Amino acid sequence: MIKPYIFFNGNCEEAFQLYAKAFDGEIIHMQKYGEMPQNIDFPISEEEKNLVLHAQVSLNEGGVLMGADVARPLEKGTNINFSLEMTSEEAAKKAWNLLKEGGQVLMELEPSFFAKLHGSLQDKYGMIWLFSVS
């Protein structure tokens, strides 16, 4: 399933509260960076602990928006990616290998604390794809 994934500069929670209200939706998940398992390769500062690691809002007309805060500068209008939630590792690897041709791997497709496989890449057309296999 493909879902839009929106990145924010520290105001994801505020934006998702507005989106839930605007679309008579509901925030169905909100996890902060401070709630994730500690990782020496990914240190979290005190000020980053309250930023949103992952959020989901369901919309009254159907569909879901997902988002997170990031610690890098974002330009409005260029902060939307495509999230792929897949159940088959084989199907994910097939799509991954095709989309990475002529593109750039941003985060290798590998196991994570929240998914069997997770990774991101930018395809040769400039689109960014976030892969997760549950």
Side-chain angles (χ1 to χ4, degrees), residues 70-132:
V70 294
R72 63 180 175 357
L74 293 172
E75 190 174 321
K76 287 183 182 179
T78 63
N79 54 332
I80 298 176
N81 298 178
F82 298 100
S83 175
L84 294 165
E85 294 182 6
M86 305 178 83
T87 56
S88 164
E89 290 183 46
E90 184 177 290
K93 288 176 182 178
K94 175 189 173 196
W96 175 269
N97 288 328
L98 287 169
L99 291 175
K100 78 176 187 179
E101 288 180 22
Q104 176 185 4
V105 172
L106 305 173
M107 180 188 299
E108 287 295 338
L109 187 63
E110 57 190 19
S112 74
F113 73 92
F114 58 88
K116 286 182 185 175
L117 293 174
H118 180 73
S120 61
L121 61 82
Q122 185 173 33
D123 69 23
K124 64 183 175 183
Y125 306 106
M127 300 296 118
I128 296 178
W129 298 88
L130 312 172
F131 281 72
S132 285

Side-chain angles (χ1 to χ4, degrees), residues 21-72:
K21 187 175 180 180
F23 300 110
D24 293 325
E26 175 185 1
I27 295 174
I28 56 176
H29 183 82
M30 181 136 338
Q31 182 179 15
K32 305 290 181 94
Y33 278 91
E35 298 172 40
M36 65 186 254
Q38 290 185 337
N39 181 342
I40 58 171
D41 296 326
F42 191 75
I44 305 297
S45 69
E46 281 303 312
E47 56 271 2
E48 292 172 324
K49 287 184 178 181
N50 286 322
L51 294 177
V52 175
L53 174 66
H54 178 70
Q56 287 184 282
V57 63
S58 63
L59 308 176
N60 69 334
E61 297 291 327
V64 172
L65 292 176
M66 299 192 313
D69 287 313
V70 294
R72 63 180 175 357

